Structure formats: structure tokens, C-alpha cells
Amino acid sequence: MKTTGVVRRIDDLGRIVIPKEIRRTLRIRDGEPLEIFVDQEGITLKKYSSIQDLSEIAKNLVETINKSLNKTILITDRDKYIAISRELRKEYLDKTISKDLEEIMKTRETIVEKNITSIKLVESKTEQMSYVIVPIIMNGDAIGLVLVSSSEEGLLEIDEKMANITASFLAKYIEE
């Protein structure tokens, strides 16, 4: 663990303030849940991702959909890629999603681009692909994204339906 040099006091209600610079760096938003870990040396706070608990199911899901559609499937939580099929897996798995994808998540709208176009999957890299992006909505909040993509033009209606079904399945599975 790396030290920040920041020292904070606990108030009479047991609260501490995490400095804005640290929250910004770690992409911790107001109201976002943090998981608390305790060991003999101290307390560790980690951003909680309800969808991260589904990573094994998400991995199996993307592989199954990939075999059926022959498309690349990417699943994110609020911050990073948690499951990816095919050739993009090594390049993007566990990487932080781009600000563009964060903005799409905030709008909670499905985006369909049937023509080959540029999309920034991470801040440092742009891909050329056709795609459908569907937010995973749970209790009114966007908790991740499902992307179905192809290096060829002309995504089909079934590709969009599969992205919607996958997002709905994941949201429902987390709620239960």
C-alpha cells in the first residue's frame, strides 16, 4: 500500500473525510458505496461493485453470446471492464472505461452505431467498430454497460436484442 501523506481525524460520529483529490483519482462519486476490509494492520476501503460479484457469470455469458452471434461482447461495471470475449480480452480486461462510456452510462440510453465508427473504450485508445451499447440499470441507477461490437458494418437487430437481454439479465440477477 502506498502512503498519501494525508492524515484525517475521526469525528464524534465515527466519520472521516476522504480528500477530494483522492476521490477524483479513484473515481469515487458522492453516495457511492465503499466496501470495508479489516486486517491486523488496519482498515482498507475499496469501491464496491455489485456487478463485480458477477464476474464469473459475466465471463460465461460473454463466451456463450460470442459463440452464438460471432461478435465481441464487453461488460463493464461503473469503472472498468469485468468480462470480454475474443481478441479484446487481453487488451481491456480490468482496464478503466473511457469518460465517453461513463457519459453514455449516465444518460442510461441505448446507443446503436451500425456503421464502422471510432469509439474510445479506454482513454488512451480508440477502436474502429460498429456497436450497440446498453446500460445495465438496477433500481434506477446505471451500474454498468453491455457492448456488442463488430469490426464489420451492419449489426443486426438480434445483436441489439441480445445486448438488451444481457443487461436485463445482469440487473435482475444482482437484484435477487
Side-chain angles (χ1 to χ4, degrees):
M1 227 182 311
K2 148 175 115 170
T3 184
T4 63
V6 176
V7 176
R8 298 289 175 156
R9 293 193 184 275
I10 296 176
D11 72 9
D12 56 346
L13 294 176
R15 299 175 297 197
I16 61 169
V17 175
I18 301 170
K20 191 173 192 172
E21 301 78 33
I22 293 173
R23 289 183 313 212
R24 188 179 311 126
T25 301
L26 297 177
R27 294 176 148 186
I28 298 172
R29 298 167 194 89
D30 291 346
E32 190 164 33
L34 297 175
E35 198 166 6
I36 302 170
F37 296 90
V38 178
D39 63 21
Q40 293 177 357
E41 294 185 22
I43 299 170
T44 302
L45 300 176
K46 183 178 176 189
K47 288 176 64 170
Y48 176 74
S49 170
S50 54
I51 201 167
Q52 184 66 39
D53 296 340
L54 292 178
S55 62
E56 278 307 309
I57 291 170
K59 288 174 188 172
N60 291 330
L61 196 54
V62 297
E63 291 305 322
T64 302
I65 296 168
N66 173 258
K67 287 177 186 172
S68 299
L69 299 180
N70 197 28
K71 302 286 191 307
T72 302
I73 319 299
L74 302 96
I75 298 177
T76 78
D77 63 10
R78 285 188 179 129
D79 299 303
K80 64 183 178 180
Y81 294 94
I82 63 162
I84 303 173
S85 65
R86 299 176 73 170
E87 68 277 352
L88 296 179
R89 181 182 297 126
K90 289 179 183 173
E91 198 165 347
Y92 293 112
L93 191 60
D94 293 324
K95 298 285 192 299
T96 301
I97 66 172
S98 69
K99 296 208 184 304
D100 295 349
L101 290 179
E102 279 186 24
E103 287 303 314
I104 290 170
M105 196 180 313
K106 284 179 189 175
T107 68
R108 292 186 249 162
E109 294 180 13
T110 297
I111 307 292
V112 179
E113 186 56 62
K114 293 185 178 184
N115 299 317
I116 299 288
T117 189
S118 296
I119 182 169
K120 211 178 238 194
L121 297 178
V122 295
E123 285 305 316
S124 60
K125 185 151 189 204
T126 301
E127 296 282 348
Q128 299 291 319
M129 59 179 60
S130 56
Y131 55 86
V132 58
I133 302 173
V134 178
I136 301 168
I137 307 293
M138 186 183 80
N139 299 327
D141 292 327
I143 60 166
L145 295 170
V146 174
L147 291 86
V148 175
S149 65
S150 176
S151 57
E152 300 172 9
E153 289 198 9
L155 286 178
L156 304 172
E157 189 176 327
I158 189 71
D159 300 322
E160 186 176 349
K161 284 184 179 179
M162 189 57 76
N164 279 299
I165 289 167
T166 303
S168 295
F169 170 81
L170 291 169
K172 192 72 141 173
Y173 195 88
I174 293 168
E175 284 178 359
E176 294 177 357

